[in-house]
Amino acid sequence: MSEQKRAPETGGDASENGANKGINEATAEAEALATADQEIAGDLAGERQRLEAEVASMKDKFLRAFAEAENIRRRAEKEVADARTYGIASFARDVLNVADDLARALGSLDETAKAAADGPFKSLIEGLELTERGLVKALEKHGIRKIEPKGEKFDPNLHQAMFEVPDPSVPTGTVVQVVQAGFVIGERVLRPAMVGVARGGPKAEAAPGADKEAGAA
């Protein structure tokens, strides 16, 4: 019996090769896409970090600029307030000369002479006293206060000692005489009070809060 020849199975091999080729191409394409995705993800992550750093830098610059603007605003407000309060200091010092003249005019008259005054002379004295009180009120209206420290403890921030008075009946350092009244404007001394200070008595005790008030003045 003669053997029959088999035909070569070329069709199956070709299909299998084509399938393998397609799989390889798909795998390569998938790997290429994955690589591209990783590169894109890396680029996006880097860009995100860059943008976040830029935002942080801009935020810091904004906060610094805002703080500086706030400081400038506060300084401007303080300068305006100081100008409003202390801008009349020079004028006020000139007005104090008028107050001193009135005080000297009234001080030249003792209480006996005032009590004995009559007619036009009495009216003149009353007019001077009224003018002095009105002047003091006008100064107070503009933040200028009179210092009359007689009986108080000497304060070098507010008073200027002109002489010492031996007086053992009062504590040493007590103001016993006011030669010229002082004035303050706001928290500043416009003119210290010129005073006579006692010595020879017991040591004066500092009043509670006196140091704090002196520092503020």
Side-chain angles (χ1 to χ4, degrees), residues 147-213:
I147 303 174
E148 287 283 8
K150 187 174 182 179
E152 298 177 2
K153 183 178 182 298
F154 177 77
D155 185 346
N157 297 295
L158 300 174
H159 315 144
Q160 181 177 344
M162 304 300 294
F163 51 84
E164 290 185 326
V165 179
D167 189 347
S169 65
V170 296
T172 295
T174 301
V175 175
V176 293
Q177 186 176 345
V178 178
V179 179
Q180 186 180 66
F183 288 85
V184 295
I185 178 170
E187 297 181 353
R188 299 178 185 176
V189 177
L190 188 62
R191 186 182 73 186
M194 297 183 181
V195 301
V197 183
R199 66 176 175 84
K203 185 177 180 180
E205 295 182 1
D211 294 340
K212 182 178 180 180
E213 293 177 358

Side-chain angles (χ1 to χ4, degrees), residues 78-150:
K78 186 178 185 303
E79 289 175 358
V80 170
D82 288 348
R84 186 181 297 113
T85 302
Y86 305 114
I88 61 171
S90 180
F91 171 74
R93 290 190 184 93
D94 293 336
V95 173
L96 294 185
N97 293 329
V98 179
D100 292 339
D101 291 340
L102 283 173
R104 279 192 289 268
L106 291 171
S108 64
L109 300 173
D110 56 25
E111 295 300 324
T112 302
K114 291 180 181 179
D118 193 12
F121 185 57
K122 181 178 181 181
S123 298
L124 175 61
I125 294 174
E126 291 175 347
L128 288 174
E129 292 175 339
L130 182 63
T131 301
E132 184 184 35
R133 288 194 295 271
L135 180 57
V136 171
K137 288 182 179 179
L139 291 172
E140 289 177 348
K141 182 179 178 181
H142 293 279
I144 302 168
R145 295 179 291 105
K146 189 176 183 180
I147 303 174
E148 287 283 8
K150 187 174 182 179

Side-chain angles (χ1 to χ4, degrees), residues 49-70:
Q49 291 179 353
R50 186 186 69 79
L51 291 174
E52 288 178 347
E54 187 175 346
V55 168
S57 176
M58 292 180 65
K59 182 178 180 181
D60 181 68
K61 290 179 180 179
F62 170 78
L63 291 177
R64 290 176 182 272
F66 181 81
E68 181 63 22
E70 186 68 11

